[in-house]
Amino acid sequence: MGGTNQSMVSEFLLLGLSRQPQQHQQLLFLLFLIMYLVTVLGNLLIILAIGTDSHLHTPMYFFLSNLSFVDVCFSSTTVPKVLAIHILRNQAISFSGCLTQLYFLCVFADMDNFLLAVMAYDRFVAICHPLHYATKMTHQLCVLLVVGSWVLSSLNALLHTLLMAGLSFCADNIIPQYFCEMTPLLKLSCSDTHLNELMLLVVAGLIMITPFVCILVSYILIACAVLRVSSTSGRWKAFSTCSSHLTVVCLFYGTIISLYFNPSSSHSAGSDMAAAMMYTVVTPMLNPFIYSLRNRDLKRALRRVLTMNLHVPN
């Protein structure tokens, strides 16, 4: 029955926002819309600025442009559906639509994870082995790291989506979130979910933990190298080159930990939605501001892009 009856539930209901009072729903709709527009505009400007400025054609900015692209896609996986639900007053999402959303959420979340680890390695090489940076961080290696991240992310997402597609959903179809998420879907299933949970624990756990450990080790080595610098100005300069990345890492993993690794007794619908909102919307929106705030080269490139229309001949 488990493999043949998966169509018993043909759609799910995303009730994340509808559980809020009416006046809160209007505010949340406006908030989602503004944050989504800022996310798309900010990250596309970062991509455009890096692409049009030859001074920014370096490994660090290559990874940053990929991160900006992934962040636009990540937000686009969830927010347009949230806005459509509010406008159309229809909270339903089809079974296939839910699985599609789940697949792309997994892909882009894993990509964020891998890219942050790759960027940490880039900062480690730049600070700890500055004389060998050009020979170590070649363009071929950078492309290989990004392509490898896409392949691993896609395979991991495909594994979990296919396993989810094989489950039966018999009665309850209410998801207490504003997007299709792995844990609520497993709770709704009337099939045996032990294989799904095992794969989630082992494969997804490795996908999340391995890059996090790489980031941790990179920053421990960076901290040791910075502490060996004799001058205070030298230490500050070395630290400032990775402060933006460290801020994004704290935001990304902080929201994941608060959403998935807290005791279930401390969870509530409101706190889970707030954490998910931070994870899927707020962090991608803040990334362009964090990376451009203290980066003179990037700010200069952004100003050039924003004022480009003034130099276009009539």
Side-chain angles (χ1 to χ4, degrees), residues 68-81:
S68 292
F69 173 74
V70 168
D71 282 343
V72 170
C73 296
F74 195 17
S75 286
S76 299
T77 306
T78 56
V79 180
K81 181 62 180 176

Side-chain angles (χ1 to χ4, degrees), residues 203-225:
V203 180
L206 280 173
I207 291 283
M208 293 303 294
I209 291 170
T210 304
F212 179 72
V213 170
C214 291
I215 293 170
L216 201 60
V217 171
S218 294
Y219 273 107
I220 289 171
L221 295 172
I222 287 171
C224 292

Side-chain angles (χ1 to χ4, degrees), residues 131-190:
L131 298 179
H132 302 287
Y133 182 76
T135 55
K136 284 178 178 288
M137 298 303 296
T138 62
H139 181 68
Q140 290 82 356
L141 176 63
C142 294
V143 171
L144 185 63
L145 288 170
V146 171
V147 171
S149 298
W150 277 110
V151 171
L152 287 175
S153 299
S154 300
L155 289 176
N156 179 57
L158 185 63
L159 170 67
H160 295 298
T161 305
L162 290 176
L163 286 173
M164 189 69 70
L167 298 179
S168 299
F169 297 88
C170 307
D172 193 4
N173 68 338
I174 294 174
I175 298 175
Q177 263 292 7
Y178 60 86
F179 60 91
C180 289
E181 198 182 4
M182 194 86 68
T183 306
L185 283 171
L186 290 177
K187 288 179 180 177
L188 291 178
S189 175
C190 53

